[in-house]
């Protein structure tokens, strides 16, 4: 594996991610048999996860994308969630599965699920690759999650710091010195 010099530790390797994602895909395929599944990827962090996950979903499904902003350049949610790109179509009678990279404070997803609920989706569930339960502020939990991780800022496999590192094929802990914090 090619290590990036800004990464302190690899948390999930490519091999581990592949196992996690195929297991999630299998479970989702079983539970969405006969439903109107739409995988809703939250841009941009979930694109890598989405692309891998959808290929492990064996039941018919549609995909769509939403883009929301909440972080800016820092490492914490600002609390203001803004819709940058909305879904392409109506979600009425659809079974939505929101695909997220990471559930942190939960503010982003709590805002999103509330918004989609008002549009009369038949069901709304959440599938997150990573879960940081220690940092939760909103009353929300994932229906499907890949891995529970400690409270550290991670990048790679879609996750960014200031829009960088999304292309790393693994999930790693970013050296705190990169964002100007103490080790
Ligand atoms: P929340 O609203 O605090 O749950 O924030 C969720 C969003 O914050 C995620 O979709 C990520 O884009 C971003 N985020 C939270 N924690 C991390 C992290 O450790 N690394 C990179 N992005 C993160
Ligand atoms: Mg992000």
């Amino acid at each position: 594996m090619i290590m990036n010099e800004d990464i302190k530790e690899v948390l999930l390797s490519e091999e581990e991610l592949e196992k996690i994602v195929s297991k999630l895909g299998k479970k989702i395929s079983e539970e969405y048999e006969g439903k109107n599944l739409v995988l809703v990827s939250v841009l941009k962090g979930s694109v890598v996860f989405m692309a891998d996950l959808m290929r492990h979903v064996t039941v018919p499904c549609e995909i769509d994308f939403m883009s929301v902003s909440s972080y800016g350049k820092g490492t914490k949610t600002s609390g203001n969630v803004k819709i940058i790109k909305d879904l392409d179509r109506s979600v009425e009678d659809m079974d939505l599965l929101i695909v997220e990279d990471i559930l942190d404070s939960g503010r982003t997803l709590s805002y999103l699920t509330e918004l989609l609920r008002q549009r009369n989706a038949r069901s709304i569930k959440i599938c997150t690759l990573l879960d940081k339960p220690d940092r939760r502020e909103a009353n929300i939990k994932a229906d499907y999650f890949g891995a529970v991780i400690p409270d550290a800022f991670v990048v790679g496999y879609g996750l960014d710091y200031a829009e960088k590192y999304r292309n790393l094929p693994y999930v790693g802990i970013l050296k705190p010195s990169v964002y100007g914090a103490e080790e």
Side-chain angles (χ1 to χ4, degrees):
M1 180 192 308
I2 304 159
M3 257 298 271
N4 184 293
E5 59 179 16
D6 294 340
I7 302 301
K8 192 167 101 177
E9 182 192 329
V10 173
L11 216 52
L12 298 167
S13 67
E14 284 186 74
E15 293 73 24
E16 286 166 327
L17 285 164
E18 162 61 25
K19 273 192 208 129
I20 287 171
V21 174
S22 74
K23 216 168 121 188
L24 282 173
K26 199 163 166 244
K27 202 164 166 216
I28 291 164
S29 304
E30 283 163 14
E31 295 179 16
Y32 281 87
E33 182 87 61
K35 303 245 169 85
N36 294 332
L37 175 60
V38 185
L39 299 171
V40 177
S41 161
V42 185
L43 295 171
K44 306 171 202 167
S46 75
V47 282
V48 182
F49 176 41
M50 175 77 160
D52 284 346
L53 180 68
M54 63 191 273
R55 284 177 284 179
H56 286 286
V57 171
T58 54
V59 293
C61 70
E62 295 182 23
I63 64 167
D64 208 339
F65 297 88
M66 274 187 99
S67 179
V68 298
S69 86
S70 59
Y71 257 61
K73 270 195 166 185
T75 59
K76 283 199 184 80
T77 305
S78 65
N80 311 316
V81 184
K82 203 170 90 193
I83 300 219
I84 312 284
K85 185 223 169 284
D86 208 333
L87 297 173
D88 290 341
R89 50 160 288 175
S90 144
V91 298
E92 215 163 320
D93 296 327
M94 304 306 283
D95 296 295
L96 305 184
L97 184 59
I98 303 176
V99 178
E100 246 295 33
D101 53 356
I102 187 165
L103 188 50
D104 188 35
S105 75
R107 288 185 186 182
T108 311
L109 281 185
S110 122
Y111 175 87
L112 255 188
T113 44
E114 191 43 48
L115 178 94
L116 295 171
R117 216 177 294 286
Q118 288 167 10
R119 297 184 185 174
N120 300 322
R122 187 197 282 165
S123 68
I124 303 172
K125 284 191 176 181
I126 294 170
C127 175
T128 185
L129 176 67
L130 307 173
D131 191 0
K132 271 193 213 169
D134 291 349
R135 305 233 321 156
R136 202 62 37 81
E137 291 168 28
N139 178 23
I140 192 155
K141 64 181 196 12
D143 301 281
Y144 305 92
F145 62 90
V148 171
I149 63 162
D151 179 10
F153 198 79
V154 295
V155 294
Y157 199 70
L159 290 115
D160 73 306
Y161 170 66
E163 297 299 328
K164 300 282 177 2
Y165 310 104
R166 294 193 196 276
N167 55 323
L168 298 178
Y170 51 85
V171 173
I173 299 178
L174 191 63
K175 284 183 185 161
S177 57
V178 175
Y179 48 88
E182 300 276 315
E183 283 288 327

